[in-house]
Amino acid sequence: MPPTSDTPLAAGADADAARAQAPSSSQAPDKVVVQDLTVRYGDKVVLDKASFEIREHEIFGIIGPANSGKTSFLRALNRMDDFTEGMTVEGRVSLDGRDVRAWRNVYALRRRIGVVFPLPVGLPMTIYDNVALAPRLGGERNKRELDRIVEHCLQRAALWDEVKDRLDSLGSLLSGGQQQRLTIARALSQKPDLLLLDEFSIAVDPVTTMRIEDVLKELKHEITIVLVTNLVQQARRLADRTAFFLNGECVEVAPTEDLFTGPIKDQRTRDYVEGRFG
Amino acid sequence: MDSSGAQASGTFDADRRNASWWVDRVVQALVFTGGVSAIVLIIGIFVFITGHGFGFITDHMDVGEFFTSPKWRPTSDNNPTYGALALIAGTASVTGLAMLVAVPFSLGAAIFIAEFAKGKTREVLKVLVELLAAIPSVVWGFIGLSIMNPLIIETFDVPVGLNVLNAGVILGLMAAPIMTTIAEDALKAVPEGFREAAEALGATRWQVIFKVVLPAARNGLVAAVLLGVGRGFGETMAVLMASGHSINLPTSPFDSVRALTATIAAELGETAAGSEHYQALFTLGILLFGVTFVINLTADLFIRGRRKP
C-alpha cells in the first residue's frame, strides 16, 4: 500500500527541505522499493510478502519485537544472502529503480550501502586502517586522499576529536560507544547513498546514543537512512516514516507520528508502540 | 537439602558442608593433581635427560667441535669425535623442506575448510584431516621407503631416493594435518562479525580473507606453523626410514642426511649405559628437548597473543 499523500506529515523541516528538492512532486522520489519480499531461512519464513518504499533523504524507521524480520530485510537489501547458507529471498527489492538482484557485481552494490551492525565491530587494525579499508578495497592508494577521507568520515561520525591523536592505535581498543561511531565512520568511508543501521544503540551508552542520533539527523541531508530499532522512542525521535514489523509481517507503514497519535489503522501497532506487548 | 532451602533458612545452613561442597572439593583436588603431575613429569624428563647427558657436557664435550664439526664418529676406537653439525643440518634441512611443503598445503586446506566448505563437505574434510593426523609415523616411513624412493630415483635420475627431498616431503605430509587443524581453529575463532563487516563494505571473498580474516588470525596461524616445526623436529621413525640415515652436510635435496632423533634411536640400543657415547646421545636429547621446548613455548605465546584484543 503506497502511503497516501493526504496523510498529515509530522516530519521536521529537514525532510520538507529534502522533499522540496524533488522535481515535480510533493514528496521525495523512492530510493528503495520493496515488493512482496519474502525471506526464508530453510523452511522458516522470517519475512512474508512485505511491500513498502523508502524515500530519498528520509530516515526510515523499522520497529518491531525480536524475530519480526527487521534484520532479514536489511540482509536482503544488500544481498547478504548470497553467502548465507539456507537463506532464500523472493520478491523484489530495488535500489534507485533497479532490482538489487540484477546487479552483476554484488560488491559494487554493497559499496553503495553502508551497514552499521548491532554490536560495534572494530576490526583488528588501527583506527586509520578501519576507516581507510573500504576506500583501499576500492583501489584508492593516494595517501593524501586517504587521509582526507579518514578525517572527513571520523568528523562526520563525531569521533575525530577523540581519536585524532591516536589514529595508529587499535580500533578494537576503543570503548563500545567509540567503536560504534568508528563503525559509522567506516560505513561512510565508502560514500554510500544508503545507510542501514541495525539496532546500533544496543551496546552504546545513552549519551553516545544521543550524539549518534544527532549525527544521523545531519547525515540525512546527504543520504537515505534506514534505522532498524527496538527502541520505539528512538524511531519517534528520528524517523520520518516508520514501518512496524511483527512475526515476519509488515503490519503498517506510516509517517512516524501517525503510529503514535494518528487514527488507529491496526490495533497491534498501537499496542506495540504504547508498550502493551513486545 | 537443596540450595534454595539453604538460602531460605539463612545463617542456619551457612556452615554446613553438604554433598555438593564435598564433591567440589574432591574434583578440585583431582584437577589440581592432574595439573601438577604434568609439571612434575616434564621436570622429571628434563632432570632425567640432563642427568644422563651432563657427564658428557662437563667432562668430554668440546663445545666448538659439537656445534661446528660434521664428524660424528662415536664408535672410533682410538679417537672418537662428537661433531653434531651434520645431524643438526640434517634435521634442519628436512624440517625446513617439510615446512615448505606443509605450510602452503595446510594453510590452503584450513582456509578452504573454514571459509569455503559448507555442511557435509566441511564435516567430511575435517574428519579426513584428523584421520590423516592419526597415521602412525612408521607407516609414513614405509611410504617413503617403498613409494617415494623409487619415484624420486626415476623422476630425477639420481642413484639414491632416500634423501632430504624424500624425508622432507614425508614429514611435510605428516605435519600438515595437525597444522591444518590448528590453523582452521584459528580461522574459526575470528568473529563472524568481522567477516560481515568487511562484506558489508563491499569486500570480495578474497579481500575478506586476506585483509581481515588472516590478519585477525595471525597469531593462531603462526602457532600452527610453529607446532608443525616442532612436530618435524621431533619426528624420528619416518625420518630414519626416508632420509637415508647417512652423515652428510647436505648441499642439495638429493643428499642423504641423518637426523638428531634418528641418531639417538639407532645408536642408543648399542651403547653401554653410562659410556661416553651413551652420554653424548643424551646430550643430543638435551639439544632436541631445548629446541622443541623453545618452539612450543613460542607457539604458546602466540596462541595467548591471539586472545588479547
Side-chain angles (χ1 to χ4, degrees):
Chain A
M1 182 194 75
T4 46
S5 54
D6 59 347
T7 330
L9 284 173
D14 302 341
D16 290 332
R19 211 157 283 129
Q21 289 167 3
S24 68
S25 165
S26 64
Q27 68 183 38
D30 291 336
K31 185 76 184 166
V32 176
V33 178
V34 182
Q35 288 165 319
D36 290 330
L37 181 70
T38 299
V39 179
R40 288 192 186 85
Y41 288 106
D43 296 334
K44 192 173 181 292
V45 176
V46 290
L47 191 61
D48 191 14
K49 293 207 165 88
S51 296
F52 54 91
E53 56 285 310
I54 297 165
R55 294 173 194 155
E56 238 170 75
H57 297 291
E58 74 173 348
I59 297 184
F60 185 83
I62 300 178
I63 58 172
N67 298 319
S68 53
K70 310 187 294 287
T71 302
S72 301
F73 162 64
L74 298 186
R75 293 175 67 88
L77 185 47
N78 75 346
R79 277 176 61 185
M80 278 301 201
D81 58 301
D82 282 20
F83 297 147
T84 308
E85 216 181 339
M87 179 175 170
T88 50
V89 176
E90 284 163 30
R92 193 181 142 96
V93 186
S94 54
L95 175 65
D96 291 332
R98 189 168 177 207
D99 190 341
V100 294
R101 236 132 267 289
W103 289 65
R104 283 230 187 88
N105 186 342
V106 64
Y107 311 111
L109 170 74
R110 288 180 185 161
R111 276 198 282 274
R112 288 189 52 187
I113 304 175
V115 186
V116 175
F117 293 98
L119 297 175
V121 182
L123 292 172
M125 47 182 88
T126 67
I127 294 170
Y128 185 97
D129 289 343
N130 259 281
V131 185
L133 178 62
R136 278 177 178 152
L137 292 176
E140 181 62 64
R141 289 286 174 273
N142 185 328
K143 175 83 172 99
R144 200 177 300 163
E145 177 63 11
L146 287 173
D147 287 349
R148 194 194 62 74
I149 294 171
V150 169
E151 176 170 353
H152 180 64
C153 294
L154 284 171
Q155 254 165 1
R156 287 215 294 180
L159 186 61
W160 175 251
D161 291 335
E162 289 163 56
V163 300
K164 65 181 173 198
D165 298 324
R166 49 180 175 132
L167 293 173
D168 289 337
S169 63
L170 271 180
S172 44
L173 295 179
L174 293 172
S175 76
Q178 287 172 326
Q179 279 196 47
Q180 196 58 301
R181 277 177 287 157
L182 177 64
T183 314
I184 292 175
R186 201 172 57 207
L188 294 175
S189 71
Q190 54 188 344
K191 299 204 187 89
D193 43 40
L194 184 62
L195 181 64
L196 314 179
L197 297 113
D198 191 359
E199 303 186 352
F200 74 87
S201 56
I202 278 187
V204 176
D205 64 280
V207 175
T208 308
T209 301
M210 296 318 283
R211 291 192 64 175
I212 296 177
E213 289 188 6
D214 289 340
V215 168
L216 297 180
K217 283 181 205 154
E218 283 298 314
L219 279 174
K220 80 168 183 178
H221 297 298
E222 300 160 52
I223 60 182
T224 309
I225 297 172
V226 180
L227 175 76
V228 165
T229 179
N230 53 7
L231 303 174
V232 171
Q233 291 307 322
Q234 188 173 60
R236 193 176 193 179
R237 283 194 297 271
L238 291 175
D240 300 299
R241 294 185 312 131
T242 295
F244 173 55
F245 282 20
L246 179 66
N247 294 330
E249 180 191 353
C250 175
V251 175
E252 191 172 342
V253 181
T256 305
E257 203 50 36
D258 286 7
L259 298 181
F260 292 87
T261 54
I264 294 173
K265 283 191 222 150
D266 192 311
Q267 187 59 40
R268 291 175 296 174
T269 311
R270 189 56 58 88
D271 285 350
Y272 181 72
V273 300
E274 291 183 355
R276 278 196 284 274
F277 76 91
Chain B
M1 184 178 278
D2 65 20
S3 62
S4 62
Q7 276 166 6
S9 49
T11 54
F12 179 75
D13 277 344
D15 292 324
R16 182 187 289 179
R17 290 167 177 178
N18 58 10
S20 51
W21 188 92
W22 282 111
V23 168
D24 185 58
R25 264 301 155 100
V26 170
V27 171
Q28 245 182 53
L30 284 175
V31 171
F32 179 77
T33 317
V36 167
S37 66
I39 298 171
V40 169
L41 274 173
I42 195 85
I43 291 175
I45 291 170
F46 181 73
V47 168
F48 172 74
I49 55 170
T50 39
H52 281 72
F54 204 64
F56 178 76
I57 297 176
T58 51
D59 300 342
H60 309 285
M61 186 163 127
D62 176 345
V63 178
E65 182 192 66
F66 188 78
F67 284 108
T68 59
S69 161
K71 296 194 176 81
W72 181 259
R73 289 178 193 143
T75 48
S76 169
D77 285 335
N78 36 22
N79 184 24
T81 53
Y82 298 95
L85 184 64
L87 310 181
I88 295 170
T91 291
S93 59
V94 170
T95 309
L97 184 66
M99 287 307 113
L100 284 183
V101 174
V103 169
F105 263 113
S106 55
L107 287 191
I111 290 173
F112 181 73
I113 295 175
E115 305 292 322
F116 291 95
K118 287 176 179 168
K120 268 248 164 67
T121 323
R122 192 179 129 76
E123 294 310 312
V124 169
L125 268 175
K126 282 188 71 164
V127 170
L128 283 179
V129 166
E130 273 153 32
L131 267 180
L132 217 53
I135 295 177
S137 60
V138 68
V139 174
W140 283 110
F142 191 71
I143 293 172
L145 270 178
S146 60
I147 298 176
M148 292 285 294
N149 184 25
L151 196 68
I152 289 174
I153 292 173
E154 209 170 296
T155 315
F156 298 101
D157 194 26
V158 288
V160 188
L162 299 175
N163 48 27
V164 175
L165 180 65
N166 192 333
V169 169
I170 290 292
L171 203 54
L173 294 177
M174 283 181 72
I178 183 85
M179 287 166 67
T180 305
T181 305
I182 295 168
E184 194 242 329
D185 283 347
L187 294 177
K188 272 289 137 195
V190 174
E192 205 49 45
F194 287 3
R195 294 182 184 83
E196 286 200 335
E199 275 173 19
L201 291 173
T204 64
R205 303 200 72 183
W206 280 116
Q207 287 173 328
V208 171
I209 290 167
F210 278 104
K211 307 268 179 184
V212 177
V213 178
L214 290 185
R218 193 185 58 221
N219 284 333
L221 298 177
V222 171
V225 171
L226 285 177
L227 286 175
V229 173
R231 175 92 173 84
F233 231 81
E235 175 51 38
T236 307
M237 187 47 77
V239 177
L240 176 63
M241 291 166 80
S243 67
H245 199 60
S246 71
I247 294 171
N248 246 328
L249 278 176
T251 52
S252 95
F254 302 111
D255 287 344
S256 293
V257 291
R258 193 198 267 205
L260 286 166
T261 48
T263 305
I264 299 176
E267 294 180 5
L268 193 60
E270 291 158 21
T271 58
S275 68
E276 196 174 297
H277 184 190
Y278 177 89
Q279 290 181 338
L281 290 177
F282 269 92
T283 308
L284 295 184
I286 296 172
L287 181 66
L288 271 173
F289 184 88
V291 172
T292 39
F293 183 75
V294 169
I295 290 172
N296 283 7
L297 191 70
T298 318
D300 196 51
L301 289 178
F302 269 102
I303 291 177
R304 270 165 216 282
R306 179 175 97 196
R307 302 209 186 99
K308 280 187 201 139

